[in-house]
Amino acid sequence: MKIPKLLSRLKRSEARIKIERTHYGIKLILPEELDEEDLLKLMAVIPAGAYKLPDNEGIALDFQARKCSGKFILKLIAGLIWPRELKIIAWLSANQDNLKLFQTAGLNINEPVQGINIQVQTQKENLNNDDEYNNENNNNNYPGWKIIYNSMRSGQRIDTDGDILLWGHLNAGAEICAGGSIIVAGKMHGVVHAGAYGREDVFIWSGVFETPQVRIANKLCYAGNKSVPGWQKSVLITLENGTPMIREDKFIKLQTEVN
């Protein structure tokens, strides 16, 4: 659906929800004066098709100064966002309690940055006839590694079914979600989720470990704390018998000393 037509349908559906066209899609500015139940009803009035956007665009929800309860957020996600398959890329608010609630739930609280292009290269495509991808045991459906050659800034997010190698820094507010393993060569300040579709035989490696949240499969492996071993060091994170293990990467240190 074309964006002008989309905005027109949204405005006809409910004038009290303000809609702004943005470089990343649309921003829905939600009214502050309604109670939570009325706001849910108000959002439900908008036809499901009106939320459809191009694949490279999404929706930012701006709650302004409204104070949201955890119950309201759960109802919003389960009753509206999931059933309609909405692509919510940012949860915005002027209320600090809301921001803490969103962050605890692993939701992005930063509006996407304009004019930043992330260069992504699939390693499998560049290996040509490499035996690694041509032996008889190879799964030809495996997407391979994706390589990002620059740092990721707040508001940026990368999703892939395979593995990700980020050569730069993962700054606060940026997110990486991978079906496979994740390597961040620089500083890891943002949120990472490896094995996002249930795989537990994956790993996370960070050049400098300083992140508030790491997940492998359905396990929350880390909630930032400077007292945790490995803080501000190179670490390897894995799951062993379902238990998250964070280890300082002794191998990398040894190689550095030898060389």
Side-chain angles (χ1 to χ4, degrees):
M1 179 183 296
K2 300 294 184 181
I3 290 298
K5 184 177 180 181
L6 166 66
L7 296 179
S8 176
R9 287 186 60 178
L10 282 170
K11 290 175 181 177
R12 289 200 304 270
S13 299
E14 188 47 68
R16 286 177 291 176
I17 294 179
K18 296 180 182 179
I19 306 100
E20 291 184 0
R21 178 72 173 98
T22 68
H23 61 276
Y24 54 78
I26 60 172
K27 180 195 294 186
L28 298 184
I29 303 175
L30 307 177
E32 301 175 274
E33 65 274 10
L34 297 179
D35 63 30
E36 293 182 344
E37 290 299 324
D38 285 341
L39 180 57
L40 288 171
K41 293 176 183 178
L42 185 63
M43 297 181 72
V45 170
I46 301 174
Y51 289 108
K52 298 299 183 182
L53 289 164
D55 290 340
N56 63 336
E57 297 189 353
I59 301 168
L61 297 179
D62 188 349
F63 296 88
Q64 302 189 79
R66 158 189 295 279
K67 175 70 168 65
C68 299
S69 68
K71 184 177 181 181
F72 167 71
I73 297 302
L74 287 174
K75 285 185 176 180
L76 177 61
I77 293 173
L80 183 68
I81 294 175
W82 285 347
R84 299 188 179 202
E85 299 182 348
L86 307 185
K87 184 181 179 182
I88 307 300
I89 57 177
W91 297 68
L92 311 177
S93 178
N95 185 293
Q96 292 301 313
D97 289 335
N98 283 353
L99 296 180
K100 290 179 182 178
L101 177 65
F102 299 157
Q103 283 185 307
T104 301
L107 305 174
N108 178 40
I109 62 170
N110 297 287
E111 198 162 4
V113 179
Q114 187 173 14
I116 307 279
N117 294 319
I118 298 178
Q119 300 175 2
V120 178
Q121 181 175 354
T122 304
Q123 184 183 11
K124 183 176 179 180
E125 295 173 352
N126 294 319
L127 291 177
N128 298 322
N129 296 321
D130 194 300
D131 290 340
E132 179 182 357
Y133 288 101
N134 289 282
N135 63 60
E136 61 185 8
N137 295 320
N138 177 51
N139 178 1
N140 291 324
N141 294 320
Y142 182 68
W145 284 88
K146 287 190 175 179
I147 305 175
I148 303 168
Y149 290 99
N150 50 291
S151 296
M152 290 177 59
R153 294 167 58 177
S154 178
Q156 294 184 306
R157 176 185 172 94
I158 288 291
D159 293 89
T160 182
D161 292 337
D163 308 297
I164 285 186
L165 168 57
L166 172 65
W167 278 115
H169 304 306
L170 183 70
N171 290 303
E175 299 181 49
I176 294 179
C177 183
S181 297
I182 297 172
I183 296 176
V184 176
K187 295 181 179 179
M188 183 187 289
H189 292 291
V191 175
V192 295
H193 188 178
Y197 308 110
R199 283 183 56 191
E200 296 189 355
D201 60 331
V202 297
F203 66 86
I204 296 170
W205 186 85
S206 171
V208 180
F209 185 57
E210 297 178 338
T211 183
Q213 187 181 113
V214 168
R215 291 179 180 269
I216 294 183
N218 63 347
K219 304 291 185 180
L220 176 60
C221 299
Y222 183 74
N225 188 326
K226 294 183 180 180
S227 65
V228 171
W231 183 260
Q232 295 184 328
K233 298 178 181 178
S234 298
V235 298
L236 179 68
I237 307 170
T238 58
L239 281 184
E240 296 185 14
N241 298 319
T243 301
M245 301 293 294
I246 303 176
R247 295 186 178 88
E248 184 178 346
D249 199 327
K250 304 292 186 181
F251 175 76
I252 296 297
K253 180 182 292 187
L254 179 61
Q255 288 293 96
T256 302
E257 292 172 352
V258 170
N259 295 332

